[in-house]
Amino acid sequence: MGALGKVVDLILLLTFLAISVVAPFLDSQTFLPQSMFPDFLVRFYKWYAIENQDYLLLEKPHFFIALMKLELFFVWPLALLNIYGLLTSKPWFNTSCLIFGAALITSTTAMVGDMIGSQKPSSDKLVMMYSPFIAFGALAVLRGLVSQCKASTSIRNGPTLVTKKRA
């Protein structure tokens, strides 16, 4: 991969790191007892929710809690796996990156869709904060697809099969 590929990988690495921190320490506070978390994390969670008027965190609708569980039990492990796969150039990274991106796009689109439809005063600000994760998810999907396409092209142009000559 060229310079653009390295920039994409850096953006994805930062996304994976962000999810790796946010999912277990903040997002999981939507459905786990607050007694499980240190006071400073609980205060930060409440401050963020109130400061940004994030009604999803304040009201905790059922669909949002389900998405946060999906993030903690599916997206977060994929983010950790992708950090390892990216840093060690594992061959399965393309596939896990594709899966991560699809999951991130799907869950974030549901949240942004609710914000757009809610007509709440803070919705525009929240849409601007959540929307980049749709773009990061799309970037992860494209990263997985482009690498898959290159792999299949190199196989096609690889060595030809040797056939026995019949007399």
Side-chain angles (χ1 to χ4, degrees):
M1 293 186 108
L4 181 61
K6 299 229 183 264
V7 170
V8 167
D9 284 351
L10 178 63
I11 292 169
L12 289 176
L13 180 62
L14 294 173
T15 302
F16 301 146
L17 288 169
I19 297 294
S20 296
V21 172
V22 170
F25 298 123
L26 297 175
D27 292 345
S28 61
Q29 288 187 45
T30 58
F31 62 91
L32 293 175
Q34 290 186 343
S35 60
M36 291 181 62
F37 300 95
D39 285 340
F40 76 94
L41 284 177
V42 173
R43 284 194 310 271
F44 180 77
Y45 176 86
K46 288 179 181 177
W47 169 83
Y48 168 82
I50 292 168
E51 181 71 24
N52 294 295
Q53 296 179 355
D54 192 333
Y55 72 93
L56 293 174
L57 294 176
L58 293 169
E59 297 173 11
K60 299 179 184 178
H62 295 295
F63 87 94
F64 183 69
I65 292 172
L67 290 175
M68 292 300 99
K69 288 178 181 178
L70 174 75
E71 188 167 313
L72 184 65
F73 298 116
F74 184 71
V75 176
W76 177 55
L78 273 174
L80 295 174
L81 193 66
N82 282 337
I83 291 170
Y84 174 73
L86 179 62
L87 295 177
T88 58
S89 300
K90 295 294 182 189
W92 45 258
F93 170 71
N94 301 330
T95 303
S96 63
C97 192
L98 186 65
I99 296 167
F100 172 88
L104 189 62
I105 289 171
T106 304
S107 62
T108 308
T109 301
M111 290 182 259
V112 170
D114 187 73
M115 290 171 194
I116 291 171
S118 75
Q119 303 293 324
K120 297 200 179 202
S122 63
S123 290
D124 291 340
K125 181 180 179 182
L126 291 175
V127 167
M128 295 300 288
M129 291 172 59
Y130 280 71
S131 293
F133 287 95
I134 296 173
F136 297 145
L139 195 60
V141 167
L142 290 174
R143 170 65 168 86
L145 288 175
V146 168
S147 298
Q148 296 286 344
C149 292
K150 284 183 180 179
S152 65
T153 302
S154 65
I155 290 170
R156 243 183 309 175
N157 296 335
T160 57
L161 292 174
V162 178
T163 57
K164 263 187 166 178
K165 257 187 168 177
R166 294 188 178 183

